[in-house]
Amino acid sequence: MELPIGPFIKAMWLIFALYWLWGWRRVKGAQRKEAILPRLVKYWLPLVIAIALIGPGDWFGSSWLHARMYPASAAIAVLGALLTLFGVAFACWARYVLGRNWSSVVQVKQDHELIQSGPYRWVRHPIYTGLLLAFLGTAMAIGEWRGLICVVIVAVSFWFKLKLEERWMRDNFGLAYESYMQRTKALIPGLL
């Protein structure tokens, strides 16, 4: 990223991290949650690897991960920064609407509520949608192969997490969740 877009993107991710940490203080207790080892292997390890991939480019020296996918472009870098901004904003909005039902891990909360308002009326997993968009935007702004690999890793990790969440939500909410699944796509409105 040769443009001064890097500090803007870092600021977006910092805002996201601070908002996530702040929101942790007021969540409901868990009624059911996934065991720690599968959680670490399926979600946290891939996220750590993905974040390392979009870290400073000099970590990768002259490897193919540091090679550009396309020529540096101010327009693509700005578009990437805007996608990062929109993705972080969308994820934070979804986190806000989810309120006390939110969890960083797959859980069913005590007195869990099925949220279908705000961004949840368009997609069932808007936090994942927002984060994927933010990772994609960051990868576009970087313009290197490591960014693309990062997005693929995050997408696969979220897909596994999403599948378990869906199963647990069907177990918990039954027909109400089945109906929600029929009318609302998982990640991309109208498509997926």
Side-chain angles (χ1 to χ4, degrees):
M1 240 181 300
E2 285 110 24
L3 294 174
I5 219 83
F8 176 81
I9 289 176
K10 287 176 185 169
M12 291 300 96
W13 284 110
L14 179 62
I15 289 168
F16 167 78
L18 292 174
Y19 184 69
W20 241 242
L21 290 173
W22 177 76
W24 232 317
R25 63 182 169 60
R26 61 176 195 99
V27 297
K28 295 177 182 176
Q31 177 180 317
R32 177 183 182 191
K33 66 180 172 181
E34 185 178 20
I36 193 162
L37 186 59
R39 197 179 339 153
L40 290 172
V41 172
K42 291 190 294 189
Y43 320 127
W44 293 110
L45 180 61
L47 281 178
V48 167
I49 292 168
I51 290 167
L53 282 168
I54 60 171
D58 54 350
W59 289 0
F60 303 102
S62 60
S63 75
W64 67 272
L65 288 169
H66 193 44
R68 293 202 60 81
M69 291 187 294
Y70 42 81
S73 162
I76 292 175
V78 169
L79 177 61
L82 291 174
L83 288 176
T84 303
L85 170 66
F86 181 72
V88 165
F90 195 70
C92 288
W93 178 35
R95 167 68 185 86
Y96 175 79
V97 170
L98 198 54
R100 298 186 64 220
N101 294 290
W102 174 81
S103 168
S104 65
V105 299
V106 180
Q107 290 184 350
V108 174
K109 296 292 191 175
Q110 297 166 355
D111 301 319
H112 204 114
E113 302 166 78
L114 178 56
I115 306 297
Q116 300 177 58
S117 59
Y120 291 88
R121 72 177 158 246
W122 297 312
V123 289
R124 295 189 310 270
H125 301 277
I127 292 173
Y128 299 160
T129 299
L131 289 176
L132 283 168
L133 193 58
F135 275 108
L136 177 63
T138 302
M140 284 176 62
I142 291 170
E144 297 173 6
W145 287 105
R146 62 191 172 103
L148 178 63
I149 303 297
C150 166
V151 172
V152 169
I153 289 171
V154 170
V156 169
S157 175
F158 283 174
W159 189 255
F160 281 118
K161 191 174 179 186
L162 175 153
K163 288 301 185 183
L164 180 60
E165 285 178 6
E166 301 264 288
R167 189 168 57 242
W168 285 17
M169 291 298 105
R170 281 193 311 268
D171 290 349
N172 195 55
F173 295 109
L175 291 176
Y177 199 79
E178 293 282 344
S179 175
Y180 180 48
M181 288 177 73
Q182 288 177 355
R183 69 178 180 276
T184 309
K185 297 296 184 184
L187 293 171
I188 302 170
L191 295 177
L192 174 68

